[in-house]
Amino acid sequence: MARIASIAPVLPEHTYAQSEITATIGPLLSSDPRRLATIERIHAATGIETRHLALPLDAYAELTTFTVANDTFVREGTTLAARACREALAAAGLDAADVDYLLVTTITGIATPSLDVLLVERLGLRPDVKRVPVFGLGCVAGAAGIARVRDHLQGHPQDVALLVSVELCSLTLQHGDDSMANIVSSGLFGDGAAAVVMVGSDRADDVPGGVDVVDSRSDLVPGTTDVLGWDIGGSGFRIVLAASLADIVERNLGPGVVDLLAAHGLKVADVGTWVAHTGGPRILRAAASALELPDEAFAASWRSLARVGNLSSSGVLHVLADELAAGGHIPGSAGVLFAVGPGVCTETVLLRWPEES
C-alpha cells in the first residue's frame, strides 16, 4: 500500500474562451471557409468552455518549427512543473530534501538532460534521488505514474516519492494541417501540469487525509498501435487519432476494471468515487457505457474537461485533486482512477479512502 499525501494541479496563466481559441487557431490550420466552419463546429462540440495555454494566443502564429516549440516546452514546462512540485510538497508538509524517488512524465516535448534533472537543480532535490523520466505513455501516464510509484513504494515503504506530469499540448500545433485528427486535437487539448506526493506504508500514518493506492492493472489492446499516438517528423509531433478510439475503449475498458475490483472482493456498484480520463465527450461516454454507469458518475471529469480541456497525462491528476479538495468521502470506501493512452492501453488504479483514526 502507498498513500497519496497531496496533489498540486497547476495551469499556465494564459486563459482563453474556447471560441477565442478557435477564431485564432482555425486560420492557422486552413484558409478554406468550409473547413473553417468544420473547425468551429468540432471545437464547439467538445463542450470545453476555457483552456489555458503556455503562450499568449497571438504567439502561436509564430510557432512554426519544432526547434522553437521544443525550446519553449523545456523553458515553460520546467517552470510549470517546478511550481507544481513546490505546492505539492508544501501541502504535504515536506521539503525537497525529503524526496527519495522522482518520476517525471510528458508526451509533449523532449529534453536531454531530462526534465527530472532540471527539476533536481531547480527545486534543490538531493543529488542521490532516484529518477525515472518517462516519455511516450501519453494520456495514460497520470494513472500509470501513480501505479508505478506505488510499485516502488511497495518495496521501499519508508520512501517519499514525487510524481510529476507536465503537458504543453498547444505547442504541438501543426500549421496548415486541416486533417480531422489535427482539427479535433486543436480543439480538445489544453496545457497544464500536476505534482503528486506519495509515501510508503511506513510513513502513511504521518500524513493526514489523502487517499490510499491499493492496487493497479495495466491492459494493452492488441492490433491498435495505429489508433493513437504521434507521427514524429520535421514539424514535430503530428497527432495520430483514429475515429475508432472511442469504440475500442467501449469494448475493452470494462473487463480490466471488473477484474481488478473482483480481485479485492468488489463490484462496479461498490465504487463510490470515479476519476475518469478527460479524453473528450466521446471517450467519457464510451467509458460510462463500458462500465454500465450513468454519465453523472463521471461528473468531476466532465467539469474538469469543460474548465480546462484534455490535459493528457495531467488530466486525471487534476480530477483527483478536485476530489481530494471536495472531501466528504466515506472512510474505507473504494475509488477507481483510470486513463487511456497509445497502444491502445488502459491503466486502472484502485483507491481507498483511509479509515478515520
Side-chain angles (χ1 to χ4, degrees):
M1 188 273 292
R3 179 165 295 180
I4 293 175
S6 66
I7 306 177
V10 298
L11 298 161
E13 62 178 325
H14 307 292
T15 314
Y16 299 95
Q18 177 80 327
S19 58
E20 190 176 1
I21 294 174
T22 302
T24 301
I25 296 301
L28 303 181
L29 307 185
S30 177
S31 59
D32 182 346
R34 292 172 299 179
R35 210 58 173 159
L36 289 172
T38 299
I39 292 169
E40 184 175 354
R41 174 177 56 81
I42 290 175
H43 283 199
T46 62
I48 295 169
E49 298 168 1
T50 55
R51 283 186 283 164
H52 293 247
L53 305 180
L55 298 173
L57 188 52
D58 58 8
Y60 287 88
E62 306 302 321
L63 201 71
T64 56
T65 69
F66 179 53
T67 298
V68 172
N70 200 67
D71 286 350
T72 304
F73 169 81
V74 175
R75 182 184 69 249
E76 300 296 332
T78 304
T79 298
L80 199 64
R83 177 181 144 206
C85 292
R86 291 190 183 100
E87 292 183 9
L89 287 168
L94 296 169
D95 297 322
D98 294 318
V99 178
D100 304 291
Y101 183 86
L102 173 65
L103 190 154
V104 180
T105 186
T106 186
I107 199 175
T108 52
I110 54 176
T112 305
S114 49
L115 290 185
D116 50 288
V117 174
L118 303 182
L119 287 173
V120 169
E121 295 191 349
R122 183 77 66 95
L123 298 170
L125 299 174
R126 299 197 319 264
D128 67 340
V129 66
K130 299 179 179 72
R131 298 177 291 104
V132 181
V134 176
F135 176 87
L137 282 178
C139 295
V140 82
I146 289 175
R148 300 294 80 79
V149 171
R150 179 238 176 210
D151 292 344
H152 170 81
L153 292 173
Q154 287 287 96
H156 302 81
Q158 75 288 346
D159 275 9
V160 172
L162 190 58
L163 165 65
V164 186
S165 161
V166 55
E167 303 289 11
L168 304 186
C169 305
S170 69
L171 301 181
T172 69
L173 179 71
Q174 298 291 304
H175 286 240
D177 178 2
D178 65 353
S179 66
M180 191 56 65
N182 197 46
I183 290 173
V184 172
S185 174
S186 68
L188 182 61
F189 289 96
D191 296 346
V196 184
V197 174
M198 296 176 60
V199 298
S201 57
D202 287 357
R203 305 187 66 146
D205 290 342
D206 299 330
V207 178
V211 63
D212 293 335
V213 183
V214 178
D215 202 355
S216 68
R217 178 185 170 104
S218 304
D219 288 283
L220 189 62
V221 182
T224 59
T225 56
D226 60 347
V227 172
L228 178 64
W230 292 132
D231 179 8
I232 302 175
S235 62
F237 300 133
R238 188 179 298 272
I239 189 78
V240 174
L241 180 61
S244 59
L245 178 60
D247 293 334
I248 292 170
V249 171
E250 186 169 4
R251 290 195 303 269
N252 292 278
L253 175 68
V257 175
V258 169
D259 286 353
L260 176 61
L261 290 171
H264 295 269
L266 298 168
K267 298 179 180 179
V268 168
D270 297 321
V271 177
T273 302
W274 291 94
V275 179
H277 169 48
T278 50
R282 291 191 65 204
I283 298 300
L284 283 171
R285 292 191 183 104
S289 177
L291 297 167
E292 299 181 350
L293 291 169
D295 283 351
E296 52 265 31
F298 300 155
S301 296
W302 282 102
R303 288 193 298 269
S304 182
L305 179 66
R307 189 172 65 248
V308 298
N310 180 347
L311 300 181
S312 189
S313 68
S314 297
V316 290
L317 305 181
H318 277 242
V319 178
L320 182 55
D322 290 343
E323 286 287 353
L324 286 172
H329 303 91
I330 298 172
S333 65
V336 167
L337 178 150
F338 67 86
V340 179
V344 171
C345 64
T346 60
E347 191 82 26
T348 307
V349 178
L350 178 60
L351 306 170
R352 189 175 299 278
W353 304 100
E355 298 282 0
E356 292 179 335
S357 57

